[in-house]
Amino acid sequence: MSPRLPARSRLTAGPPSLADVAELVRAPAALSVVGDTLAGLAAARAGTPTGAAAGAPTPLRARHLLLPVASACLYLGGMALNDYADRHVDAVERPERPIPSGRVSPRAALAIGGALTAGGVAAAGLAGGRRALGVALPLAACVWTYDLVAKDRPAGPFVMAACRGLDVLLGATSGRLRSALPAAAGLTAHTLGVTVLSRGEVHGTTPQVAGAVAAGTVAGAVVVAAVPSAATAARPAARWPTVAAATAYAAAVLPGQVCAATRPTAANARTATRAGIQAMVPLQAAWAARSGSLGTAALLAGVAAVGQGLRLLGRARGRAGVSIT
């Protein structure tokens, strides 16, 4: 009897378990994406004049809290689509994943991806109306395009990077979009590097690719920490938290990238990719602090701490990390 038959029989008995769905969508990885909209929101609020003082933040409405929810739904939906699109490759290279192991059917994975995408677009519409939908719909289209069409094509890393940039701008739809363009560019550039490097997770990367990505990390950290902004000029207290978050970002991701450049093995590429994804949060915090939003930066520091705790818990339970690109 095939060892996969018990798993397949569970599918005929009913829907996948909550634990299997959480594994399919990489639920803890959502912590790396909610900061996109928070950084965009911080930049938009800092850049929108209200009242008597130009540059004062716009009022934060309760409905704006749905923007990170929309971001997380779109991201998690993309993870389900990722495994749906990769199911045949995963059957050979990663047979333990939910679909090839038989714990989640391809049809269920596609339905979960579609439902989460629809939920993300709906949450964006509730948070910001037509203006937010004008960003959420192209973002959803980019997610589906990447997973189902572009992932293995030369344009794939650029489509993935566009997803992050649009995600930052989604958070900025409550204020001035132009003010969030630098933060969107910073997260876009980082995502491009991480995605290019992730292509070496199975067969290895090259010193040139890993070295270029490491150089991009250094440039990104210097830009966010050293280039002055109107917010840090108006609030000098925001300067040092910005530098601290940018330093934490570089410290989190640069060692793995340098190691991959020195020894461009598949294992080192995977390690550098995971570090790059996890480093999204301190980078988001740096851009939020640069916008003068120290509260958002502190919140993201807490998110980073929670993420680290979950990773340590996963290691203690013997769960290996996987790529989420």
Side-chain angles (χ1 to χ4, degrees), residues 6 26 61 73 76 97 132 189 238 253 265 283 286 294:
R26 322 292 202 280
R61 308 295 186 189
C73 286
L76 296 175
R97 283 189 168 180
V253 70
T265 64
L283 181 58
L294 300 184

Side-chain angles (χ1 to χ4, degrees), residues 31-74:
L31 294 173
S32 72
V33 74
V34 294
D36 290 343
T37 46
L38 293 176
L41 180 61
R45 295 177 69 220
T48 305
T50 59
T58 60
L60 180 63
R61 308 295 186 189
R63 59 188 172 85
H64 293 151
L65 298 178
L66 286 173
L67 292 171
V69 174
S71 176
C73 286
L74 292 169

Side-chain angles (χ1 to χ4, degrees), residues 184-197:
L187 269 298
T188 296
H190 175 74
T191 304
L192 178 62
V194 170
T195 309
V196 168
L197 192 54

Side-chain angles (χ1 to χ4, degrees), residues 74-210:
L74 292 169
Y75 185 83
L76 296 175
M79 291 299 98
L81 292 172
N82 175 79
D83 276 20
Y84 171 80
D86 284 355
R87 62 193 185 278
H88 300 301
V89 175
D90 285 345
V92 176
E93 297 179 352
R94 301 179 180 95
E96 74 281 359
R97 283 189 168 180
I99 295 177
S101 69
R103 291 176 286 132
V104 178
S105 71
R107 180 179 296 180
L110 183 60
I112 290 167
L116 285 168
T117 300
V121 171
L126 290 173
R130 287 183 295 179
R131 196 161 189 246
L133 286 175
V135 177
L137 288 171
L139 172 55
C142 281
V143 170
W144 280 67
T145 298
Y146 176 80
D147 285 324
L148 302 181
V149 179
K151 181 188 302 182
D152 297 322
R153 300 176 184 270
F158 298 94
V159 177
M160 172 62 83
C163 290
R164 281 282 177 172
L166 287 169
D167 203 30
V168 175
L169 295 180
L170 178 62
T173 53
S174 63
R176 191 180 182 189
L177 279 171
R178 185 182 302 175
S179 299
L181 289 177
L187 269 298
T188 296
H190 175 74
T191 304
L192 178 62
V194 170
T195 309
V196 168
L197 192 54
S198 75
R199 293 194 160 193
E201 287 187 306
V202 175
H203 302 294
T205 184
T206 67
Q208 294 78 12
V209 168

